[in-house]
Amino acid sequence: MLKKTLSCFFLALLMASFFGCQGGDQKLDEAKEETRMDWWRDARFGMFIHWGLYAIPAGEWKGTTNHAEWIRTTAEIPLEEYDQFLDDFNPVEFDAEAWVKMAKDAGMKYITITSKHHDGFGLYDSKTSDFDVMATPFKRDILKELADACEKAGIKLCFYHSIMDWHHPDYLPRRGWEKNRSTEGAEFPRYVDYMKNQLKELLTNYGEIGVLWFDGEWEDTWTHEEGVELYDYIRSLQPNIIINNRVDKGRQGMQGLTAEGNFVGDFGTPEQEIPDTGLPGIDWESCMTMNDHWGYNKNDNNWKSSKELIQNLVDIASKGGNFLLNIGPKADGTFPQESIERLAAIGDWMNVNGASIYETEASPFEHLVWGRVTQKSINGGTRLYLHVFDWPENGELRLGGIRNEAIKASLLSAASTQLTVRRDADALVIELPKISPNSIDEVISLDIKGKPEVVLPPEIMADEFQFSDQLLVKLKAKDGFDVRYTLDGSEPNSSSTLYSQEGINITKNTVLKAKTFEGSNAASATSSAEFNKVSSQKAQAVSNLKSGINYAYYEGDWDQLSNFNPLKSTKKGTVNTFDYSAHSRDEYYAFSFEGYINVPENGAYRFYISSDDGSQLFINDQLVVDNDGLHGMVEKSGLVGLEKGNHKIKVTYLQKTGGSGLEVSWKGPSFIKTQIPASVLYHQ
């Protein structure tokens, strides 16, 4: 495995001891906690549903078509105008049993629906609020009907509930554009009491709830202490309920994992992404849309294919996670036809291959070129489910690095058809039919003796995979084994160069391949990495530079970074470093920083931007880091070769709604990653 893919893994190791923290004596409750999570870990697959008043405009408002469940704030709709949607909400085609049947037929084991999204509208009969479904012409408790249908079908019902509430008079802060909505008399603690009363209704009137899935915790008014208190309160109402980590403040951007610290929450919540590697000791669930929006948007036709969705499900299960796949129902209460078709295709695959998903554990292998693996214990051994995305042209499926003896193998779709398995050095090789019965993912069931004993390929450790002069690379393998490698892209064998602890000095474009050996016998599959030498950009000949960097501040509504040059800035100035505190409003603004950075020596430099929302970094007018788009705090990086001296630097940043943040860092040939200091920034 390459070092740069391990960041998530190491983060997981650091965090493992912090998930499931309940604020009490953990040791006494360990067995009970494991039992509480069992059904969820076994299920692997659930349906997310985002539905509310925002389905009525269907993503479109006054000529713009990029809205969905956030439409009240992204389109800046005044409260009194948004409230008029109450009169139009009448989903007469809603059929709870039909919804639940589609979920069950797709192989889903639980449904998580928005009891209340950020707009504050409730899909149930709330006695604590008039802003709910009973104030609409529909006047039916949607959650009660779903609860009854789920119980009948054996599906777990779960609720998404927003901490943030744009409708309640006591919720703070207001949206930045709500200039005419006063905060006078608003008391946030009173809002928290209101939210707790609503949660008590949800946990006492709708039977046993599987999960409470919180969101909207990122604003400063919500605190860690309130998160801990709310977690304990919910567990006092339903002791066996599972609660996601967004009840607390520790989530790190869209990766959804909790930072180091004593944070509560039972599982992490990656959003629209799948972690690169498995996360040992961490429960996590990746939530994802079928197109680009959570709520219904009639103009969004960027649908993921059934193939992509099925392979995402397999990828997530192979890494020990759950997949929460979203539906945005239409205003009439029906699912979009595109969603129905994809659910049916997933269901067809799950009808045959569901055993390879449910009650399985993460793969003991890493980065198999042909697909993924899930596993479960059987009497006397282990059943490996080999998910073959790319059918081998030679008809031989190679499972490298496994030391166990094979018992039998067959197609999961045709269990009576036995496949031949043979040993070839480090690998078990399975002879397959010439053509895959399923081009999306044909599953091979392979039974082996005992628990999997796998010798992983050598770990290739390098600070970078691009360099300007030379680069030291090190290899790491299981103790007691040798590592042999090649630098020309050829397959290592027993006569290839033996690795020594001093490392490998790379000075030119190189394809490094490495394999673990036990004596003269190969013991693992091959790891591979490509290293590229980059040319260095020449320094700029500039004079009369002054300390600090210029900024221009803009106000407007962007979903992506704009070319700010033709725009008129609201204000300009100079700051010591990338300081965006000069903004005049909390939302809907952007900055452009321009100047020079003094590079201390020739070499390869990696620049990092962590931002909420979008950002970009340019060196000498070349885009080096692209972190554009609307998202939570996310870090991206890029590498460039630079000569010693001054180089033009430009950073652009936009903030739309929600949280804000911008950090700009770098790493050079002789220093570790650090925020770019004011001492190297200049302007003319």
Side-chain angles (χ1 to χ4, degrees), residues 29 48 51 63 68 80 85 90 96 162 170 174 177 205 234 270 272 345 378 397 564 598 606 635:
D29 293 333
F48 216 178
W51 197 38
E80 59 275 10
F85 287 142
N90 192 24
S162 174
D170 285 317
R174 298 283 189 260
W177 52 270
N205 297 334
I234 293 164
Q272 301 283 40
I378 59 173
L397 188 69
F564 295 115
N598 186 260
R606 180 164 292 278
E635 181 179 86

Side-chain angles (χ1 to χ4, degrees), residues 44-45 272-274 284 286-290 304-319 321-325 346 357 372 389 440-441:
R44 290 293 178 226
F45 192 27
Q272 301 283 40
E273 61 182 77
I274 303 171
W284 59 277
S286 184
C287 59
M288 193 174 294
T289 54
M290 285 192 182
K304 298 177 180 69
S305 67
S306 299
K307 176 179 179 179
E308 182 179 356
L309 294 173
I310 290 168
Q311 291 189 353
N312 282 346
L313 169 61
V314 173
D315 188 22
I316 290 166
S318 76
K319 295 170 180 174
N322 282 24
F323 189 25
L324 190 62
L325 181 59
I346 297 169
I357 301 296
R372 302 290 186 270
F389 296 171
I440 293 176
D441 175 18

Side-chain angles (χ1 to χ4, degrees), residues 355-356 360 372-374 376 383-387 412 443-444:
S356 69
T360 60
R372 302 290 186 270
V373 173
T374 54
K376 63 177 59 169
R383 180 160 294 156
L384 300 176
Y385 295 103
L386 315 182
H387 297 263
L412 190 57
V443 182
I444 311 301

Side-chain angles (χ1 to χ4, degrees), residues 1 5-20 252 255-261 268 270 275-284 319-320:
M1 175 192 288
T5 67
L6 283 174
S7 58
C8 203
F9 172 76
F10 286 125
L11 177 62
L13 292 179
L14 288 172
M15 298 187 304
S17 61
F18 302 113
F19 271 82
Q252 295 187 312
Q255 288 184 340
L257 301 175
T258 297
E260 182 177 350
D276 284 341
T277 65
L279 305 173
I282 302 291
D283 287 305
W284 59 277
K319 295 170 180 174

Side-chain angles (χ1 to χ4, degrees), residues 113 261 344 385 420 524 531 563:
I113 186 171
Y385 295 103
T420 300
S524 78
F531 298 92
N563 177 10

Side-chain angles (χ1 to χ4, degrees), residues 40-89:
W40 184 87
R41 291 170 181 155
D42 290 347
R44 290 293 178 226
F45 192 27
M47 176 183 284
F48 216 178
I49 300 176
H50 279 69
W51 197 38
L53 299 181
Y54 42 83
I56 296 168
E60 186 170 343
W61 190 257
K62 295 181 179 179
T64 57
T65 60
N66 60 338
H67 309 285
E69 73 288 345
W70 277 66
I71 192 170
R72 205 208 133 212
T73 193
T74 56
E76 299 187 6
I77 305 174
L79 191 64
E80 59 275 10
E81 191 171 356
Y82 192 81
D83 283 357
Q84 294 175 20
F85 287 142
L86 286 172
D87 296 332
D88 299 324
F89 190 78

Side-chain angles (χ1 to χ4, degrees), residues 46 105 229-230 423 466 490 510 598:
D105 288 349
E229 197 278 332
L230 185 60
R423 166 69 60 180
Q466 293 174 299
S490 61
T510 300
N598 186 260

Side-chain angles (χ1 to χ4, degrees), residues 493-509:
N493 56 42
S494 58
S495 60
S496 298
T497 305
L498 181 66
Y499 174 75
S500 67
Q501 296 302 316
E502 287 75 20
I504 306 165
N505 197 36
I506 305 291
T507 60
K508 61 182 181 180
N509 290 348

